[in-house]
Amino acid sequence: MSTATPTVRGGRREPLVGKSWVQAAALVALGGLFVMVLMGWMAYQSHPPIPQRVVTTSGGTVFTGADIRAGQDVFLRNGLMEFGSIFGHGAYLGPDFTADYLHRSAEMVRHTYGAAPSDTADQHTRDDFKRNRFDPRTGVLTISDAQAGAFAGLVQHYRTTLGDPRGETGLRPSAITDPTQVRQLTAFFAWTSWAAAANRPGKSYSYTNNWPPEPLVSNGPAANTVVWSVLSLISLLVGTGLLFAAFGRWNWLGWHGRDQHELRFREPQTVALTPTQRATSWFFLVMAALFVIQTIAGAASQHYRADLSSFFGIHLDRWFPYNMVRTWHVQLSLFWVATGFLAMGIFLVPMITRRSDDKGQGTLVYGLLAALIVVVAGSTVGELAGMRGAFGRLWSWFGMQGFEYLDLGKFWQLLLTIGLAGWVFILWRGLRKRLAADSPANMPWLFFFAALTLPAVYAVGLLTRHGDNLTVTDYWRFMIVHLWVEDFLELFTTVMVAYVFVLLGVVRETVALRVIYLDIALYSAGGVIGTAHHWYFSGTPAAVLALGAFFSALEVIPLLFLTVEAWSFVRLGARQDSNSTTAFPHRWAVMFLIAVGFWNFLGAGVFGFLVNLPIVSYYEIGTTLTANHAHTAMMGVYGMLAIGFAMFALRYLIPEDRWPDRLAAVSFWSLNIGLASMSFVTMLPLGIVQLYHSVDVGYYDARSARFLTSSLSSLLEWLRFPGDILFIVGGALPVLWMALLGVRHRGRHQDVLAEADVALFTEIDVHEPAEATAARPRR
Amino acid sequence: MRPESIFVVLYAAALLAGAVGLHRLGRTSRRYPPARARAERPPTRTGTAATDDQHPGWPHSEVPRFYTGMALVAAGASTLLPAGELLGRDHRSAETAVLVTVIVVAALTLAWLRTRLH
């Protein structure tokens, strides 16, 4: 595997990289985590307070803190965060309820002060909303009589819209009809809009940094939003320049001059598989099935955007309204990708250890599969039942917890966490002898540590609780949505991809290690603190906005670096540095990795940075440009990677004479063309138009049904139809068929007999060009 | 011209530029190693597995092909959007002329990229 002669001391292999690599990575990671804790403290200290009572100037109670909290529960358990959004976070078909309430109430208040144009009336309206009349000693918030009147009017409005018996809104017909619940829900919306408009004590901007933009209440971008946008851009430019200057000067990674290996790849059907490796065929089948279901749920939710009235004449909203199918679309995206990663981790262990399974490993793996099926099935059914009012007081445990990306009930979330921990246990059991013989700085340990972070970080998401202040719940929720998905999953995938290439013999282990440590440092520098780019306008103080803007810009740097430098990681054939007298068996796995690199740069990097600056996000959050980034990043990076892993494993699970190479080609091109089509044809242009409308006319209007059902929006939504069909039929279904083949044929391999049986290649000769020797950095 | 038509034309133009850029970016990865290194390599033979790599040398990199493929999608989008705008709306003569021009240029670019896909 490694061309270096291993040095062993005290029974353990010595570290292959210098201490400075490990120290740098650890320091940056710990620094980032410290700042994260600090930002959490700031969220707890500075969130908008929930008043005990909201009263008018004449003393009458309008609603209470209990109403606000109950209203938040109504919002969550009815899946309204998967219909519209709150503080900009959630789904994009329905309105942003913070902006919606704010705009409507401001219009009503203004009308109360006179219909005719009047500066006095305008100012009076602004004062009503901007002046913060919350008394922290009594817990009482005082609002004007006009605002109280607007509240009553909006209770009627939400009862009409959310309880519409005709449906055709995206929600099911008569979704919320209980008058008490509607009132509580309206109180929740009112509180969020108060936090959005009222100035923080001692500040000239609101709890949400003046988001959403609303001229009626004098909500415009705060100075912090503009200044930190500029500083964010500067940090990106300077950081990029420094990194490329450093790598232009020092060949830290050492792969510019590579060894001239001569390798002979073993034909896949001569590589022995262990029982646990064969068991992963079932995981890949589950992964593929969930992927297909997720795409169908996505097609259904997309159809609502093109035609709210019906699904080709079928009133789908009666059984599967938009918020239901979107919940499944979002949750299943995490489930199927995670299933693929878990399977790949299990598949790699025998290849790392070069020996067969310990006793009982197979049983544990099948147990994990069963647990995974239980969690997916239980949470999916629970979400459907929960949205329809099942489970009573246990709604958040077994039904619809209701937070976007954390919609599953707490019970299923807990089971999933335990399942992930069980998976790490399985990996440890398989790796333990190898770990005992290696330095904690080397790849087997990094693989294990990276796997360990998955349940550890996912467990933090358990702290998202429905009774908490929304600012606090969003702090914990984005531990999953950002830290888990964008940082630690990214780390795990970097380790796995690096390991695959090391196991294939095409990259030296030392080089792979340097890439991993550099990845840890670069992603930690930007991505950990950069989590705060999700909290710009969710009630955290301006310092969090500043930290998020500055550091999240640095997230683009490793993407730039990996795209440019690490193309040589995968551009193996273009450089033709290595040779084999046998065919390279993983063409399609490598092709999917090439796609990952492309979408990492475009989807995560370019489209992510497009919406990253605070001043852009101020007008853009919760619009189609966010969806454009989300789809191209999540599917383009993690989705393609999971399928690439499946291709790698299936290459060994499916016999040579059954390997459907053409089908793999069809799937690869269909998925990439389909994804590119949905972005270039629909989401990107519609997002640009929507952003323009948000700045030009108003955010409220850009999120309204009137805009989303306009003729241009409808045209763009319908134009993605061919690409979406190609994605599902040409892209997802072949993956399912290949996974079925993997299950069908998995038993036709011999048991592991000797170490040589699990090796993926044999090395014939190694010699290093003179320039590579000279270029190799000192440790 | 109406703002919507102007946007579609400009967006299509930007996509076309992006398509050409992607194609050229993919071609830069086609640089072969210097002659000395080529001479040092032992001769290779094609793979034994008929379903695998049919191209000479190992491992065949399809980065250029992938980039050109994505460029084709971008060029296709730059054809489809103005076509949708043209057919889905009523236009004055000037708008129609501009949209048709964009469609023709995009279609030609699409055809040219198609010949480069190998």
Side-chain angles (χ1 to χ4, degrees), chain A residues 79-201:
Chain A
L80 288 182
M81 203 173 185
E82 294 283 8
F83 169 64
S85 58
I86 198 88
F87 281 163
H89 291 299
Y92 317 131
L93 182 69
D96 179 273
F97 290 103
T98 305
D100 189 72
Y101 186 98
L102 184 62
H103 182 82
R104 289 180 189 275
S105 63
E107 278 190 330
M108 288 176 173
V109 166
R110 175 61 182 84
H111 190 79
T112 303
Y113 295 136
S118 161
D119 288 345
T120 308
D122 289 344
Q123 189 59 46
H124 201 167
T125 304
R126 286 194 287 268
D127 284 345
D128 275 0
F129 284 90
K130 274 293 172 190
R131 203 168 130 217
N132 189 341
R133 289 176 285 184
F134 173 71
D135 187 343
R137 292 168 301 170
T138 60
V140 171
L141 170 65
T142 306
I143 61 175
S144 66
D145 290 339
Q147 286 175 299
F151 174 79
L154 285 168
V155 170
Q156 292 307 314
H157 166 73
Y158 290 119
R159 181 185 292 172
T160 305
T161 53
L162 299 177
D164 192 338
R166 298 167 304 174
E168 298 184 11
T169 60
L171 295 174
R172 73 176 192 277
S174 305
I176 305 173
T177 52
D178 182 278
T180 304
Q181 289 185 13
V182 173
R183 194 171 171 286
Q184 290 167 339
L185 190 61
T186 312
F188 172 60
F189 296 157
W191 171 74
T192 63
S193 89
W194 167 76
N199 286 342
R200 269 187 191 272

Side-chain angles (χ1 to χ4, degrees), chain A residues 573-576, chain B residues 28-35 37-38 41 56 60-61:
Chain A
R575 303 273 180 179
Q576 301 217 349
Chain B
T28 62
S29 69
R30 276 190 174 275
R31 284 195 293 270
Y32 284 94
R38 277 203 294 271
R41 286 202 313 278
H60 174 69
S61 167

Side-chain angles (χ1 to χ4, degrees), chain A residues 260 262-265 267-268 504-506 563 567 570-588 590-591 594-595 597-599 651 656 659 661 668-669 672-673 676-677 679-682 684-686 688-689 711-713 715-716 719-720 722 767 769 771, chain B residues 3-4 7-8 11 15 22 25-26 28-34 36-38 40-71 73-78 80-89 117:
Chain A
Q260 291 268 349
E262 185 171 340
L263 303 174
R264 183 173 295 153
F265 290 108
E267 288 184 21
L504 285 170
V506 297
T563 302
W567 271 129
V570 295
R571 282 189 310 189
L572 305 167
R575 303 273 180 179
Q576 301 217 349
D577 281 343
S578 300
N579 297 281
S580 172
T581 54
T582 52
F584 182 64
H586 291 293
R587 180 183 176 194
W588 291 109
V590 170
M591 283 299 290
I594 289 169
F598 174 81
W599 290 111
R651 196 68 182 86
E656 190 63 53
W659 174 250
D661 198 70
F668 174 80
W669 285 109
N672 280 284
I673 291 170
S677 167
S679 171
F680 299 157
V681 172
T682 302
L684 183 59
L686 184 55
I688 293 169
V689 170
S711 63
L712 177 62
S713 295
L715 175 69
L716 291 174
L719 279 178
R720 67 179 270 187
H767 55 278
E771 66 269 18
Chain B
E4 183 180 302
F7 169 73
V8 170
Y11 180 76
L15 270 185
L22 273 176
L25 192 59
T28 62
S29 69
R30 276 190 174 275
R31 284 195 293 270
Y32 284 94
R36 181 172 59 83
R38 277 203 294 271
E40 284 174 357
R41 286 202 313 278
T44 61
R45 63 177 169 85
T46 53
T48 55
T51 54
D52 265 312
D53 189 352
Q54 298 298 316
H55 301 267
W58 164 87
H60 174 69
S61 167
E62 296 192 39
V63 170
R65 197 158 183 246
F66 178 74
Y67 271 65
T68 302
M70 291 297 98
V73 180
S78 68
L80 184 64
L81 283 165
E85 174 68 17
L86 185 66
L87 297 171
R89 303 278 190 272
L117 185 69

